[in-house]
Amino acid sequence: MTSEPRPPDPVPEGPEQGQVVELPAASRVADVAIDELEMIYAFIYSRVGNRADAEDLTQQVAMKAIPRLRQGAPASAVRGYLFATARSVLGGFWSTRLGLSESELHDDLAMAMPQAGYSEESVERVRRILQQLSDNYRRVLELRFLHGYSLKEVAIEMRSTVGAVKVMQLRALRAAAKVRLDG
């Protein structure tokens, strides 16, 4: 069985040299997003301090966000979505770099506040608010904000889970905000 050789497939005709090729028009939201990427790069660079990492992370933001943008979205919504995506990408980056979960990373950054001297009045106000809270609420707030424990450390101390401590902390803060000191 011998088969005859087939002629080569025809070469598709393309534009002549020097001709302008029309590409599909990019959407308006994609144009807005591309214009905003310079600000996203500056935002990321200010947080990582390394040009190569900032470029890679900006590219990740573009790859994640641009395909998901809604047609007809206002420029402010596009910008907001890009920055939200950038924060998410940065969280993943630092989580990987430091070997921590993103929630632990956020907790550690939030607790890294400079220690300042407190007035007698503010110390007394905190003491009076804490006195009016239930024991569990008082304990979680003391551990988190007065002793600087992470959520994980509070969970261990209170023999609970991180999720339960998060919920308890939120409820304790809401209860503390409702405490009336004028009476």
Side-chain angles (χ1 to χ4, degrees):
M1 270 176 92
T2 43
S3 64
E4 293 186 28
R6 293 181 43 209
D9 292 334
V11 177
E13 289 190 30
E16 299 287 326
Q17 182 139 356
Q19 276 188 327
V20 176
V21 177
E22 296 242 355
L23 297 174
S27 68
R28 187 191 69 73
V29 292
D31 289 341
V32 170
I34 290 169
D35 290 342
E36 297 293 332
L37 285 178
E38 190 171 320
M39 282 196 325
I40 298 298
Y41 171 80
F43 172 76
I44 292 173
Y45 181 79
S46 72
R47 279 143 181 89
V48 297
N50 178 328
R51 183 177 174 200
D53 287 339
E55 288 171 355
D56 289 346
L57 294 172
T58 302
Q59 184 177 7
Q60 286 179 30
V61 169
M63 298 295 287
K64 283 184 177 183
I66 292 175
R68 295 182 176 141
L69 294 173
R70 282 190 343 252
Q71 293 301 322
S76 61
V78 172
R79 185 178 307 116
Y81 187 70
L82 288 171
F83 275 99
T85 304
R87 286 190 297 274
S88 174
V89 167
L90 278 168
F93 170 79
W94 284 115
S95 176
T96 303
R97 235 343 123 87
L98 299 174
L100 298 171
S101 72
E102 288 185 43
S103 63
E104 286 180 289
L105 177 65
H106 178 71
D107 294 338
D108 291 343
L109 291 175
M111 295 309 294
M113 296 183 292
Q115 297 297 322
Y118 300 105
S119 69
E120 284 281 320
E121 183 181 326
S122 62
V123 171
E124 179 60 24
R125 183 179 311 138
V126 168
R127 187 189 62 72
R128 288 178 31 210
I129 290 171
L130 289 174
Q131 278 180 335
Q132 295 184 39
L133 297 177
S134 69
D135 291 341
N136 279 345
Y137 286 0
R138 182 181 322 111
R139 184 79 175 135
V140 76
L141 293 180
E142 286 174 346
L143 291 173
R144 285 287 288 143
F145 301 110
L146 299 180
H147 299 288
Y149 282 30
S150 70
L151 286 170
K152 191 175 187 178
E153 292 169 325
V154 173
I156 292 168
E157 181 76 21
M158 296 183 76
R159 294 183 177 94
S160 187
T161 65
V162 172
V165 169
K166 284 182 181 181
V167 170
M168 189 183 314
Q169 176 182 305
L170 176 65
R171 290 177 179 167
L173 288 170
R174 285 182 179 163
K178 292 179 183 176
V179 169
R180 297 191 50 102
L181 296 176
D182 58 337

